[in-house]
Amino acid sequence: MNIYDVIKKPLITEKTTIEKDNKNVVTFVVHNDANKIEIKQATEKLFKVKVDSVKTATVAGKVKRVGKTVGKRSNWKKAYVALQEGSTIDFFEV
């Protein structure tokens, strides 16, 4: 898998911002078939940082309803990437 296909986008919420500030952990939305090794390699090459560990979680898609039609959103995967001491990623650089 290409490293540009592994990481889709950063996941920026209130919880992930607190984790980034306190624990130096960055959260990404990643490809469903990506494993921890691919996520680590892609993060190190794309952002030029050192990765300490990677934790992944598959999020189940919600069941949505429009009128009498019931559908389901797709499942997606997120990765918690712990950066080594001294490494940082700024998504809102000036």
Side-chain angles (χ1 to χ4, degrees), residues 25-78:
V25 174
V26 184
T27 308
F28 295 107
V29 176
V30 296
H31 194 275
N32 283 343
D33 296 332
N35 59 29
K36 293 180 182 184
I37 297 168
E38 292 172 338
I39 295 167
K40 180 179 179 178
Q41 290 172 351
T43 305
E44 287 179 344
K45 288 182 182 177
L46 290 175
F47 298 104
K48 296 175 180 58
V49 294
K50 293 290 181 181
V51 174
D52 193 26
S53 66
V54 176
K55 295 179 183 178
T56 60
T58 302
V59 180
K62 293 181 177 181
V63 174
K64 291 292 183 179
R65 191 178 124 153
V66 178
K68 64 179 182 178
T69 306
V70 178
K72 182 180 173 294
R73 289 186 181 169
S74 299
N75 297 341
W76 56 283
K77 190 181 223 180
K78 62 182 170 180

Side-chain angles (χ1 to χ4, degrees), residues 76-93:
W76 56 283
K77 190 181 223 180
K78 62 182 170 180
Y80 298 98
V81 179
L83 303 176
Q84 287 183 357
E85 196 71 29
S87 296
T88 59
I89 298 175
D90 274 336
F91 295 116
F92 301 111
E93 292 178 350

